[in-house]
Amino acid sequence: MRKRAIFAALFLTALAVSASGVFLQVEAGAKAWVSVSEETRVSGEEILLGDIAGIKSDDPSLAKRLASIVIGRAPLPGQTRAMKREQIELRLKQSGISMDEIDFTSPPRLEVLRDYVEADRETVEKIVREFILKEMPWGPDEINITGLNFNEAVILPRGDVTYQVLPQPNEDYLGATPISVLFLVDGKPQKKVWLNADIEVYRPVVLTTRPLPRFHVMNAGDVKVERKNIAQFSSNVLGDANELVG
């Protein structure tokens, strides 16, 4: 009798170790149905089984566990990744799921598209133009902004998209003006792009009406005032003729 008791205890211990070992087995009697789609979209950086398959189970905890299994890395936003049925089966086994305990269907090959949002060329140019108009020291009727030729759309992961416009330190917003735009998704930096604006600023400029000799005492007839693009002059530009005459 004592030997039978010891054998029974060892047998029960072995069952307990098997049930709580390294590989998490599907509980006895539990059943799940996993049906993988041939084409799917994902939004995150990882491909989860729940993203690419329909999952049903009478056991909610099992269904949740299956849905959270990471199948692989997602492609870049706007791009696709091809996967094989065998890859998914391998990840299920590595996650402790016995293929004998689930009803699993999948096409031999599937494609996963990373969902994305797009900021087109016109949107990026508008962001920079509005920033310049807000930050520059000039009046909007004094300037002409050219050169904002951004030739590509910005592809970003789907999420809460924000941006930061980053001018150069001590920017005077005059002439050639490089400006970058940093796009963030859910608060995380994703992509930085550069635009080169050419800012023309038209203001009154004092000009001489003719070549003047050295040490000449200037009078009103020697100067004129015209609207010119001050970006083409040095910083010492006068706009009031009275500062020169006399």
Side-chain angles (χ1 to χ4, degrees), residues 41-44 77 114-118 155-161 185-186:
R41 285 174 174 252
V42 299
S43 57
R114 177 79 177 276
D115 212 353
Y116 66 97
V117 293
E118 177 179 319
I155 306 299
L156 300 166
R158 185 166 293 280
D160 181 19
V161 178
V185 178
D186 297 330

Side-chain angles (χ1 to χ4, degrees), residues 128 131-132 135-136 164-182 192-197 199:
V128 173
F131 178 84
I132 292 173
E135 297 297 325
M136 69 181 185
Q164 298 173 0
V165 182
L166 307 172
Q168 297 295 296
N170 304 315
E171 181 58 64
D172 59 5
Y173 301 97
L174 189 64
T177 306
I179 294 179
S180 65
V181 182
L182 175 63
K192 179 187 284 188
V193 297
W194 287 88
L195 288 85
N196 293 306
I199 304 176

Side-chain angles (χ1 to χ4, degrees), residues 86-153:
E86 291 77 13
Q87 292 176 264
I88 303 172
E89 292 176 337
L90 177 61
R91 287 298 300 132
L92 287 169
K93 293 174 183 177
Q94 290 174 338
S95 300
I97 302 298
S98 172
M99 300 304 295
D100 296 332
E101 300 293 339
I102 63 173
D103 186 349
F104 179 78
T105 59
S106 171
R109 184 179 182 277
L110 61 140
E111 287 193 349
V112 180
L113 170 67
R114 177 79 177 276
D115 212 353
Y116 66 97
V117 293
E118 177 179 319
D120 59 24
R121 176 177 59 84
E122 291 80 6
T123 298
V124 178
E125 292 179 3
K126 182 180 179 182
I127 288 172
V128 173
R129 184 181 296 273
E130 290 180 349
F131 178 84
I132 292 173
L133 291 172
K134 179 182 177 182
E135 297 297 325
M136 69 181 185
W138 326 109
D141 58 337
E142 296 179 315
I143 63 103
N144 181 40
I145 303 174
T146 62
L148 289 177
N149 298 320
F150 191 68
N151 298 321
E152 59 180 296

Side-chain angles (χ1 to χ4, degrees), residues 14-21 23-25:
L15 284 178
V17 171
S18 175
S20 60
F23 295 99
L24 297 173
Q25 300 297 323

Side-chain angles (χ1 to χ4, degrees), residues 6-24:
I6 293 174
F7 176 78
L10 290 174
F11 178 74
L12 292 173
T13 302
L15 284 178
V17 171
S18 175
S20 60
V22 176
F23 295 99
L24 297 173

